Amino acid sequence: QSALTQPRSVSGSPGQSVIISCTGTSSDVGGYDHVSWYQQHPGKAPKLMIYDVSKRPSGVPDRFSGSKSGNTASLTISGLQAGDEADYYCCSYIGSFVLFGGGTRLTVL
Amino acid sequence: QVQLVQSGAEVKKPGASVKVSCKTSGYTFTGYYIHWVRQAPGQGLEWMGWINPDSGGTNYAQRFQGRVTMTRDTSFTTAYMDLSRLRSDDTAVYYCARLQSDWDDYYFDYWGQGTLVTVSS
């Protein structure tokens, strides 16, 4: 199975909103609601931001939200802050297998 | 508190094997699958497979079949990932991650700090 498709980069100014997409197929993103999103700062381990498409773990600001339509999941970050600048990865849990997206570099201008 | 602490960086020659450990604490080791994920320099995350610490059952990504072995020692609440016949493109940071799977939710809630494996002649 191929990696999920994400834009290589997105950018936005402080206070603005950005959307990062994650496109798969009906066999992964479209077929299951087990899509999660991870934030990774340079040299650090990934951190869970969203799970099961739209659920937010405790401690994650409500500026982060997730959704899904068909074979595409999306992560929306509103009220951009400098600390949001990082790489973001989507992940689809498919039974006994896992697929990651290629990652998106978010730049806060 | 839940912790996953991995072993230190390794430098290996092509053709050799490497074994990375993931020492867990703060929760019931046998209650959660451990997955391994790697990240080559400047690249994205790549899933390698999982181990069920309770049964020892495993499942590997197809591209690593035959080269990777995941094991665990329940007495030491530690999971291991062994990768053989190393090549230069195996140079990466290797992470262990705990899979949370309650109430039909599936996600990685805790990660190790990562172990850099460098393959160079």
Side-chain angles (χ1 to χ4, degrees):
Chain A
Q1 283 170 303
S2 303
L4 306 174
T5 301
Q6 297 182 233
R8 289 188 67 91
S9 64
V10 297
S11 62
S13 299
Q16 288 187 331
S17 296
V18 294
I19 300 175
I20 300 173
S21 61
C22 170
T23 301
T25 69
S26 58
S27 297
D28 40 68
V29 173
Y32 300 84
D33 282 340
H34 306 310
V35 177
S36 49
W37 289 89
Y38 300 87
Q39 176 193 66
Q40 187 181 36
H41 286 109
K44 300 295 187 181
K47 174 189 174 184
L48 177 69
M49 304 303 285
I50 294 287
Y51 67 97
D52 281 11
V53 175
S54 60
K55 298 177 183 177
R56 200 169 42 249
S58 60
V60 173
D62 60 6
R63 302 185 296 105
F64 291 83
S65 61
S67 62
K68 189 180 83 166
S69 178
N71 297 336
T72 298
S74 299
L75 173 70
T76 300
I77 309 172
S78 57
L80 272 179
Q81 300 179 0
D84 297 335
E85 186 162 291
D87 293 325
Y88 291 83
Y89 294 90
C90 62
C91 175
S92 180
Y93 181 88
I94 318 153
S96 291
F97 296 89
V98 173
L99 273 180
F100 283 102
T104 298
R105 173 68 54 87
L106 169 61
T107 301
V108 180
L109 302 170
Chain B
Q1 70 282 21
V2 174
Q3 286 191 307
L4 282 68
V5 179
Q6 299 182 222
S7 48
E10 303 262 13
V11 179
K12 296 292 183 181
K13 293 193 182 304
S17 297
V18 69
K19 191 169 187 174
V20 179
S21 67
C22 174
K23 166 70 177 169
T24 73
S25 60
Y27 72 98
T28 301
F29 177 64
T30 53
Y32 299 82
Y33 285 33
I34 293 290
H35 289 237
W36 290 87
V37 177
R38 77 176 187 180
Q39 186 172 36
Q43 302 300 308
L45 302 174
E46 180 176 28
W47 178 74
M48 299 181 69
W50 56 253
I51 182 166
N52 176 346
D54 189 22
S55 66
T58 56
N59 186 47
Y60 305 138
Q62 188 170 12
R63 66 169 291 175
F64 298 105
Q65 293 270 4
R67 282 211 303 144
V68 71
T69 304
M70 296 177 187
T71 57
R72 91 297 189 212
D73 186 326
T74 55
S75 300
F76 291 98
T77 66
T78 300
Y80 302 91
M81 187 284 300
D82 195 313
L83 189 62
S84 62
R85 303 194 300 278
L86 289 169
R87 308 184 293 252
S88 57
D89 62 358
D90 290 319
T91 293
V93 175
Y94 290 76
Y95 293 101
C96 59
R98 187 181 86 160
L99 180 75
Q100 175 66 258
S101 56
D102 283 344
W103 300 103
D104 201 35
D105 298 334
Y106 294 89
Y107 53 92
F108 300 117
D109 58 353
Y110 290 94
W111 295 69
Q113 83 276 19
T115 297
L116 175 62
V117 175
T118 303
V119 183
S120 173
S121 54

